[in-house]
Coordinates of all heavy atoms in Angstrom, one line a residue:
P234 N 19.7 48.9 6.3 CA 19.9 49.7 5.1 C 21.3 50.4 5.2 O 21.9 50.7 4.1 CB 18.8 50.7 5.1 CG 17.7 50.0 5.9 CD 18.5 49.1 6.8
E235 N 21.8 50.8 6.3 CA 23.1 51.4 6.5 C 24.3 50.5 6.0 O 25.1 50.9 5.2 CB 23.4 51.8 7.9 CG 22.6 52.9 8.5 CD 21.1 52.5 8.8 OE1 20.9 51.3 9.4 OE2 20.2 53.2 8.4
D236 N 24.1 49.2 6.4 CA 25.1 48.2 6.0 C 25.1 48.1 4.4 O 26.2 48.1 3.8 CB 24.8 46.8 6.4 CG 25.1 46.6 8.0 OD1 25.7 47.4 8.5 OD2 24.5 45.7 8.6
L237 N 23.9 48.1 3.9 CA 23.7 48.0 2.4 C 24.4 49.2 1.7 O 25.1 49.0 0.8 CB 22.2 47.9 2.1 CG 22.0 47.7 0.6 CD1 22.5 46.3 0.3 CD2 20.5 47.8 0.4
A238 N 24.3 50.3 2.3 CA 24.9 51.5 1.7 C 26.4 51.4 1.7 O 27.0 51.8 0.7 CB 24.3 52.8 2.4
V239 N 26.8 51.1 2.8 CA 28.4 50.9 3.0 C 29.0 49.9 2.0 O 29.9 50.2 1.3 CB 28.7 50.6 4.4 CG1 30.1 50.2 4.5 CG2 28.4 51.7 5.5
V240 N 28.3 48.7 2.0 CA 28.8 47.7 1.1 C 28.7 48.1 -0.3 O 29.6 47.9 -1.2 CB 28.0 46.4 1.4 CG1 28.2 45.4 0.3 CG2 28.5 45.9 2.7
T241 N 27.6 48.8 -0.8 CA 27.4 49.2 -2.1 C 28.6 50.1 -2.4 O 29.1 50.0 -3.6 CB 26.1 49.9 -2.2 OG1 25.1 49.0 -1.9 CG2 25.8 50.2 -3.6
A242 N 28.9 51.1 -1.7 CA 29.9 52.0 -1.9 C 31.3 51.3 -2.0 O 32.1 51.6 -2.9 CB 29.9 53.1 -0.9
R243 N 31.5 50.4 -1.1 CA 32.8 49.7 -1.2 C 32.9 48.8 -2.5 O 34.0 48.8 -3.1 CB 33.1 48.8 0.1 CG 33.5 49.6 1.2 CD 34.2 48.7 2.3 NE 35.4 48.1 1.8 CZ 36.1 47.1 2.5 NH1 35.6 46.8 3.7 NH2 37.2 46.7 2.0
L244 N 31.9 48.2 -2.9 CA 31.9 47.4 -4.1 C 32.2 48.3 -5.3 O 33.0 47.8 -6.1 CB 30.6 46.7 -4.3 CG 30.5 45.3 -3.6 CD1 28.9 44.7 -4.0 CD2 31.5 44.4 -4.1
K245 N 31.7 49.5 -5.3 CA 32.0 50.4 -6.4 C 33.4 50.7 -6.3 O 34.0 50.8 -7.5 CB 31.1 51.7 -6.1 CG 30.8 52.5 -7.4 CD 29.7 53.5 -7.1 CE 29.4 54.2 -8.4 NZ 28.4 55.2 -8.2
E246 N 33.9 51.0 -5.2 CA 35.3 51.4 -5.2 C 36.2 50.2 -5.6 O 37.1 50.3 -6.3 CB 35.7 51.7 -3.7 CG 37.1 52.0 -3.4 CD 37.7 51.0 -2.6 OE1 37.2 50.3 -1.7 OE2 38.9 50.5 -3.1
I247 N 35.9 49.0 -5.3 CA 36.5 47.7 -5.7 C 36.6 47.6 -7.2 O 37.5 47.2 -7.8 CB 35.9 46.5 -4.9 CG1 36.3 46.4 -3.4 CG2 36.4 45.2 -5.6 CD1 35.6 45.6 -2.6
E248 N 35.3 47.8 -7.8 CA 35.2 47.7 -9.2 C 36.2 48.6 -10.0 O 36.5 48.4 -11.1 CB 33.7 47.9 -9.7 CG 33.0 46.5 -9.4 CD 31.4 46.6 -9.7 OE1 31.1 47.7 -10.3 OE2 30.8 45.6 -9.4
Q249 N 36.4 49.8 -9.3 CA 37.2 50.8 -10.0 C 38.7 50.6 -9.9 O 39.6 51.2 -10.4 CB 36.9 52.2 -9.4 CG 35.6 52.8 -9.7 CD 35.3 52.8 -11.2 OE1 36.1 53.3 -11.9 NE2 34.1 52.5 -11.6
R250 N 39.1 49.5 -9.0 CA 40.5 49.3 -8.7 C 41.1 48.8 -10.1 O 40.5 48.1 -10.8 CB 40.7 48.2 -7.8 CG 40.4 48.6 -6.3 CD 40.7 47.6 -5.4 NE 40.1 47.8 -4.1 CZ 39.8 46.9 -3.2 NH1 40.0 45.6 -3.5 NH2 39.4 47.2 -2.0
K251 N 42.4 49.2 -10.3 CA 43.1 48.8 -11.5 C 43.9 47.5 -11.2 O 44.5 47.4 -10.3 CB 44.0 49.9 -11.9 CG 43.2 51.1 -12.5 CD 44.3 52.1 -13.0 CE 43.6 53.4 -13.3 NZ 44.6 54.5 -13.3
V252 N 43.7 46.6 -12.2 CA 44.4 45.3 -12.1 C 45.2 45.3 -13.4 O 44.9 45.6 -14.4 CB 43.4 44.1 -12.2 CG1 44.1 42.8 -12.0 CG2 42.3 44.4 -11.2
Y253 N 46.5 44.8 -13.1 CA 47.6 44.8 -14.2 C 48.0 43.4 -14.4 O 48.4 42.8 -13.5 CB 48.8 45.8 -14.0 CG 49.6 45.9 -15.1 CD1 49.3 46.7 -16.3 CD2 50.9 45.3 -15.2 CE1 50.0 46.7 -17.4 CE2 51.7 45.4 -16.3 CZ 51.3 46.1 -17.4 OH 52.0 46.2 -18.5
M254 N 48.0 43.1 -15.7 CA 48.7 41.8 -16.1 C 49.5 42.0 -17.4 O 49.1 42.9 -18.1 CB 47.6 40.8 -16.5 CG 46.7 40.1 -15.4 SD 45.9 38.8 -16.1 CE 47.1 37.4 -16.0
S255 N 50.4 41.3 -17.5 CA 51.3 41.4 -18.7 C 51.4 40.1 -19.5 O 51.5 39.0 -18.9 CB 52.7 41.8 -18.2 OG 53.6 41.5 -19.3
F256 N 51.3 40.2 -20.9 CA 51.4 39.0 -21.6 C 52.5 39.1 -22.7 O 52.4 40.1 -23.4 CB 50.0 38.7 -22.2 CG 49.0 38.1 -21.3 CD1 48.1 39.0 -20.7 CD2 49.0 36.8 -21.2 CE1 47.2 38.4 -19.8 CE2 48.1 36.2 -20.3 CZ 47.1 37.1 -19.6
S257 N 53.1 38.1 -22.9 CA 54.1 38.1 -24.1 C 53.7 37.0 -25.1 O 54.3 36.9 -26.2 CB 55.4 37.7 -23.6 OG 55.4 36.4 -23.0
T258 N 52.6 36.2 -24.9 CA 52.2 35.1 -25.7 C 51.6 35.5 -27.0 O 50.9 36.6 -27.1 CB 51.3 34.1 -24.9 OG1 51.0 33.0 -25.7 CG2 49.9 34.8 -24.6
D259 N 51.7 34.8 -28.0 CA 51.0 35.0 -29.3 C 50.0 33.9 -29.5 O 49.3 33.9 -30.5 CB 51.9 35.3 -30.4 CG 53.2 34.4 -30.4 OD1 53.1 33.3 -29.7 OD2 54.1 34.7 -31.1
V260 N 50.0 32.9 -28.6 CA 49.0 31.8 -28.8 C 48.2 31.8 -27.5 O 48.8 31.4 -26.3 CB 49.8 30.5 -28.9 CG1 48.7 29.4 -29.2 CG2 50.7 30.6 -30.1
L261 N 47.0 32.2 -27.5 CA 46.2 32.3 -26.4 C 45.4 30.9 -26.2 O 45.0 30.3 -27.1 CB 45.1 33.2 -26.5 CG 45.3 34.7 -26.0 CD1 44.2 35.6 -26.3 CD2 45.7 34.7 -24.6
H262 N 45.6 30.4 -25.0 CA 44.9 29.0 -24.7 C 44.0 29.2 -23.5 O 43.9 30.2 -23.0 CB 45.9 27.9 -24.6 CG 46.9 28.1 -23.5 ND1 46.6 28.3 -22.2 CD2 48.2 28.1 -23.7 CE1 47.8 28.4 -21.5 NE2 48.8 28.3 -22.4
S263 N 43.2 28.2 -23.2 CA 42.2 28.3 -22.2 C 42.8 28.7 -20.8 O 42.2 29.3 -19.9 CB 41.5 26.9 -22.1 OG 42.3 25.9 -21.9
G264 N 44.1 28.3 -20.6 CA 44.7 28.7 -19.3 C 44.9 30.2 -19.2 O 44.6 30.8 -18.1
H265 N 45.3 30.8 -20.4 CA 45.3 32.3 -20.2 C 43.9 32.9 -20.0 O 43.8 33.8 -19.2 CB 45.8 32.8 -21.6 CG 47.2 32.5 -21.9 ND1 47.6 31.8 -23.1 CD2 48.3 32.5 -21.2 CE1 48.8 31.6 -23.1 NE2 49.3 31.9 -22.0
I266 N 42.9 32.4 -20.7 CA 41.5 33.0 -20.6 C 41.2 32.8 -19.1 O 40.5 33.8 -18.6 CB 40.5 32.2 -21.5 CG1 41.0 32.4 -23.0 CG2 39.1 32.7 -21.3 CD1 41.0 33.9 -23.6
A267 N 41.4 31.7 -18.5 CA 41.0 31.5 -17.1 C 41.5 32.5 -16.2 O 40.8 33.0 -15.3 CB 41.4 29.9 -16.6
I268 N 42.9 32.8 -16.3 CA 43.5 33.7 -15.5 C 43.0 35.1 -15.8 O 42.9 35.9 -14.9 CB 45.1 33.5 -15.5 CG1 45.7 34.2 -14.3 CG2 45.8 34.1 -16.7 CD1 47.2 33.8 -14.1
I269 N 42.7 35.3 -17.0 CA 42.2 36.7 -17.3 C 40.9 36.9 -16.7 O 40.6 38.0 -16.1 CB 42.1 36.9 -18.9 CG1 43.5 37.1 -19.5 CG2 41.2 38.0 -19.2 CD1 43.5 37.1 -21.0
K270 N 40.0 36.0 -16.7 CA 38.7 35.9 -16.1 C 38.8 36.2 -14.6 O 38.1 37.1 -14.0 CB 38.0 34.7 -16.2 CG 37.1 34.6 -17.5 CD 36.4 33.3 -17.5 CE 35.0 33.4 -18.1 NZ 34.3 32.1 -18.1
K271 N 39.7 35.5 -14.0 CA 39.9 35.7 -12.5 C 40.4 37.2 -12.3 O 40.0 37.8 -11.3 CB 41.1 34.8 -12.0 CG 40.5 33.4 -11.8 CD 41.6 32.6 -11.1 CE 41.2 31.1 -10.9 NZ 42.3 30.3 -10.4
A272 N 41.4 37.6 -13.1 CA 41.9 38.9 -12.8 C 40.9 40.0 -13.0 O 40.9 41.0 -12.2 CB 43.1 39.1 -13.8
A273 N 40.0 39.8 -14.0 CA 39.0 40.8 -14.3 C 38.0 40.9 -13.2 O 37.4 41.9 -13.0 CB 38.3 40.5 -15.6
R274 N 37.9 39.9 -12.3 CA 37.0 40.0 -11.3 C 37.5 40.8 -10.1 O 36.9 41.1 -9.1 CB 36.6 38.5 -10.8 CG 35.8 37.7 -11.7 CD 35.1 36.6 -11.0 NE 35.9 35.6 -10.5 CZ 36.3 34.5 -11.3 NH1 35.9 34.4 -12.5 NH2 37.1 33.5 -10.7
L275 N 38.8 41.2 -10.2 CA 39.5 42.0 -9.2 C 39.2 43.5 -9.4 O 39.6 44.3 -8.5 CB 40.9 41.6 -9.0 CG 41.2 40.2 -8.6 CD1 42.8 40.0 -8.6 CD2 40.6 39.7 -7.4
G276 N 38.9 43.9 -10.6 CA 38.6 45.3 -10.9 C 38.7 45.5 -12.3 O 38.4 44.6 -13.1
K277 N 39.2 46.7 -12.7 CA 39.4 47.0 -14.1 C 40.7 46.4 -14.6 O 41.8 46.9 -14.3 CB 39.4 48.5 -14.4 CG 38.1 49.2 -14.2 CD 38.2 50.6 -14.5 CE 36.8 51.1 -14.7 NZ 36.7 52.7 -14.7
L278 N 40.6 45.5 -15.6 CA 41.8 44.7 -15.9 C 42.6 45.5 -17.1 O 42.0 45.7 -18.2 CB 41.6 43.3 -16.3 CG 42.7 42.6 -17.0 CD1 43.9 42.4 -16.0 CD2 42.3 41.2 -17.4
I279 N 43.8 46.0 -16.8 CA 44.6 46.5 -17.9 C 45.6 45.5 -18.3 O 46.4 45.0 -17.4 CB 45.3 47.8 -17.3 CG1 44.1 48.8 -16.9 CG2 46.2 48.3 -18.5 CD1 44.6 50.0 -16.2
V280 N 45.7 45.2 -19.5 CA 46.6 44.1 -20.0 C 47.8 44.9 -20.6 O 47.5 45.8 -21.6 CB 45.9 43.2 -20.9 CG1 47.0 42.4 -21.8 CG2 45.0 42.2 -20.2
G281 N 49.0 44.5 -20.3 CA 50.3 45.1 -20.9 C 50.6 44.1 -21.9 O 51.0 42.9 -21.5
V282 N 50.7 44.4 -23.1 CA 51.2 43.4 -24.1 C 52.7 43.8 -24.5 O 53.0 45.0 -24.7 CB 50.3 43.5 -25.4 CG1 50.9 42.7 -26.5 CG2 49.0 43.0 -25.1

Side-chain angles (χ1 to χ4, degrees):
E235 291 74 43
D236 290 346
L237 187 65
V239 169
V240 163
T241 304
R243 277 202 68 189
L244 273 179
K245 202 165 183 181
E246 176 257 314
I247 287 166
E248 279 177 8
Q249 293 302 316
R250 284 181 193 160
K251 288 184 191 157
V252 183
Y253 187 74
M254 284 191 87
S255 160
F256 282 94
S257 59
T258 188
D259 40 18
V260 184
L261 269 181
H262 55 59
S263 52
H265 296 127
I266 300 292
I268 197 165
I269 285 173
K270 267 184 148 183
K271 280 188 184 174
R274 292 201 293 270
L275 301 179
K277 282 186 172 164
L278 175 60
I279 300 171
V280 168
V282 170

